Amino acid sequence: ADKALNFAVKYPHLFAGMGFASPSFSANKSSQEWVQKNSPFNCIENIRNMPVLVMHSVNDRHTSINNSLYLEQLAKENQFTDFTFIKTENDVEEYFWYKYSEKIFEFFSKIQPKEKAGNSTLKIGELKYNTNGIITILERETPDYSNASLQVKNNKIRIETSNVKNYNINLEKLALNVNTPVSIYENGKLVYKGVPSANHVFSKVSYTGSKKIIKSNSIEGPFADIFTDKFIIVIGSLGTVQQTQQNEENAQYFNDAWKNKYYNGCLIKYDHEINNSDIENANLFLIGNFNTNTILKEFKGDIPLEIADDEVSIGDHTETGKDLNTYMVFPNPKNKTKYMGIFSGDVSQNDFNMMDIGAYEFRSLMQLYAADTAWFDISCFGWYDYKIWDSSGNTLLSGYFDDKWQM
């Protein structure tokens, strides 16, 4: 149920409807900052116009009916247009699905996709989930929740926005006559009037040029995002023999973690082996520091990171101590459409610090893996944009850059 609701809220244009039988939701149980911010319940209005069916027995001993009652409450608060709740009295959970599964299939078989919409709502906490097929939020004022909601009447669009700087509207999917003049009002102000262009997309763009670095739906962080596309682990070889060996050991750790999860090794190169094709086509995961990694040395001054023997600075925040560890993600200065990830330190000192997960998530991992490998799940590595911790595992600094990749 968690996964289904999460996907539907983030990609509402890909779903015709949702059906739940005795659902259990854990989205509000996490203590992890990123998970809390991206809870599907925070953006539940994205599925306001989606047909939703929920079935639950009052006597369910496996998953409390309170899960479904909470979803019903949210549906009422957000004025869902097609929400059905079937509450049964005396059904044993072991046989509930067999008894009522046909109702879900019948529910889906009757859904007729709407060709043209008269309204649309989109709320996002992350730019990577920035569209519902009608509204696309391109840029925010601040790295907080953004909202856009529109109504269509008499070939007029009235859109209310909050924390939205730039956006698109796909006029083709709205109940409009795109061959005649269309008026668009944003927060009560007329922003467009005329016959739409041939692609039937209205764009509100208040910036010019492409040189400035901003977060987008493809380059946003956190650190874990470097693993979602082709990436190369880049071993720094510029330092002493001991430093290079440490970088090699760190690289092998990440390679082993990837192999443990996905059954094959990573692409690994030394810094002097990286070529223009690598920069063009892959995220670079740089192991080392400015004195030990050639690629990282080239970027000194271009990224908000400084690493000294007993000091690490990210932006204007500095942490001091012996044997500090840090990771950071940032757009590659040589190719801003790709990530540059950095790890400096000794990951074996306290490898759990790479995971950034809460107690609830770790308990879930314990159900999937043996106790000695639960901490080795690379899909849980790096849920912040940046982090500094000491050799004892104490987190000294962690957080997210704003939408301009600044602190």
Side-chain angles (χ1 to χ4, degrees):
D2 268 324
K3 300 291 187 184
L5 183 61
N6 211 18
F7 279 124
V9 166
K10 292 174 178 176
Y11 307 102
H13 53 299
L14 302 181
F15 290 79
M18 297 191 70
F20 296 101
S22 303
S24 175
F25 300 109
S26 60
N28 287 342
K29 299 178 182 179
S30 176
S31 60
Q32 211 286 328
E33 183 178 354
W34 193 91
V35 176
Q36 290 177 341
K37 183 178 180 181
N38 287 277
S39 167
F41 295 125
N42 294 339
C43 301
I44 198 76
E45 55 262 62
N46 290 351
I47 60 171
R48 176 181 296 153
N49 295 325
M50 186 183 298
V52 177
L53 170 66
V54 181
M55 301 183 299
H56 216 130
S57 170
V58 173
N59 300 324
D60 194 326
R61 296 167 298 173
H62 181 251
T63 58
S64 171
I65 195 173
N66 288 335
N67 290 276
S68 295
L69 292 173
Y70 180 57
L71 189 58
E72 180 188 37
Q73 174 189 334
L74 291 176
K76 291 178 179 178
E77 291 175 355
N78 289 276
Q79 300 176 333
F80 277 35
T81 59
D82 190 353
F83 184 86
T84 303
F85 185 16
I86 299 177
K87 186 189 306 183
T88 66
E89 296 292 336
N90 297 307
D91 291 296
V92 180
E93 62 269 15
E94 287 84 355
Y95 305 103
F96 187 82
W97 171 254
Y98 301 102
K99 187 173 180 179
Y100 293 100
S101 59
E102 287 189 4
K103 287 188 176 293
I104 289 185
F105 293 113
E106 180 183 354
F107 167 76
F108 280 110
S109 67
K110 292 181 178 179
I111 295 176
Q112 296 294 325
K114 296 179 180 178
E115 293 185 3
K116 303 288 185 179
N119 59 80
S120 183
T121 298
L122 178 64
K123 180 180 179 182
I124 63 169
E126 300 288 326
L127 286 166
K128 55 177 58 70
Y129 315 117
N130 70 332
T131 187
N132 62 7
I134 295 175
I135 303 170
T136 300
I137 297 175
L138 301 173
E139 189 178 357
R140 303 174 294 189
E141 298 287 352
T142 64
D144 301 306
Y145 284 104
S146 298
N147 299 269
S149 181
L150 65 79
Q151 299 281 338
V152 179
K153 187 177 181 181
N154 298 328
N155 244 39
K156 294 182 176 66
I157 299 173
R158 299 189 182 275
I159 181 169
E160 298 294 323
T161 63
S162 175
N163 193 31
V164 177
K165 189 173 183 179
N166 300 306
Y167 61 88
N168 287 341
I169 303 174
N170 188 342
L171 306 177
E172 187 68 32
K173 295 188 176 182
L174 295 174
L176 294 166
N177 182 350
V178 293
N179 297 314
T180 61
V182 173
S183 299
I184 301 176
Y185 296 82
E186 180 184 2
N187 298 331
K189 180 181 179 181
L190 180 66
V191 294
Y192 174 81
K193 184 175 183 179
V195 178
S197 60
N199 65 1
H200 299 155
V201 173
F202 168 76
S203 297
K204 189 221 176 151
V205 180
S206 59
Y207 64 85
T208 58
S210 58
K211 291 185 177 181
K212 70 175 184 176
I213 301 176
I214 60 171
K215 288 191 172 184
S216 67
N217 68 320
S218 59
I219 299 292
E220 183 182 24
F223 181 88
D225 266 12
I226 67 174
F227 303 120
T228 62
D229 200 354
K230 179 181 178 180
F231 69 94
I232 302 172
I233 296 178
V234 184
I235 301 172
S237 62
L238 189 62
T240 65
V241 172
Q242 292 79 8
Q243 289 172 325
T244 300
Q245 183 178 354
Q246 179 65 70
N247 290 340
E248 290 171 336
E249 291 174 358
N250 286 335
Q252 188 59 50
Y253 174 89
F254 290 108
N255 184 56
D256 290 343
W258 183 267
K259 187 180 295 185
N260 181 70
K261 178 74 174 183
Y262 299 111
Y263 308 104
N264 66 296
C266 304
L267 291 171
I268 302 177
K269 289 187 175 185
Y270 285 95
D271 45 8
H272 58 80
E273 297 175 318
I274 295 299
N275 55 45
N276 290 334
S277 177
D278 296 329
I279 295 172
E280 180 68 24
N281 297 300
N283 298 325
L284 302 184
F285 181 13
L286 308 179
I287 306 296
N289 58 43
F290 295 102
N291 296 321
T292 66
N293 192 297
T294 305
I295 304 297
L296 190 54
K297 184 178 181 179
E298 292 179 22
F299 297 149
K300 188 174 178 65
D302 293 331
I303 60 176
L305 176 67
E306 293 285 344
I307 302 173
D309 289 340
D310 298 316
E311 183 177 282
V312 177
S313 298
I314 300 178
D316 57 359
H317 293 261
T318 299
E319 299 295 338
T320 59
K322 191 172 179 59
D323 299 325
L324 296 180
N325 303 276
T326 187
Y327 72 66
M328 192 182 86
V329 67
F330 204 76
N332 187 332
K334 290 188 176 181
N335 180 6
K336 296 171 186 176
T337 66
K338 296 294 182 181
Y339 284 118
M340 174 186 62
I342 301 161
F343 175 80
S344 178
D346 181 358
V347 70
S348 66
Q349 286 179 345
N350 196 295
D351 39 37
F352 189 77
N353 272 68
M354 282 300 305
M355 296 194 69
D356 299 331
I357 60 176
Y360 181 83
E361 287 80 18
F362 190 71
R363 286 195 298 269
S364 298
L365 287 180
M366 291 285 285
Q367 297 174 3
L368 297 175
Y369 306 110
D372 59 343
T373 58
W375 47 264
F376 208 46
D377 189 337
I378 197 169
S379 65
C380 298
F381 287 8
W383 283 12
Y384 295 101
D385 287 351
Y386 55 83
K387 186 175 182 179
I388 304 172
W389 67 99
D390 62 24
S391 58
S392 299
N394 300 306
T395 297
L396 307 177
L397 178 69
S398 63
Y400 303 93
F401 294 113
D402 63 21
D403 282 5
K404 295 180 181 179
W405 289 99
Q406 297 173 353
M407 298 284 280

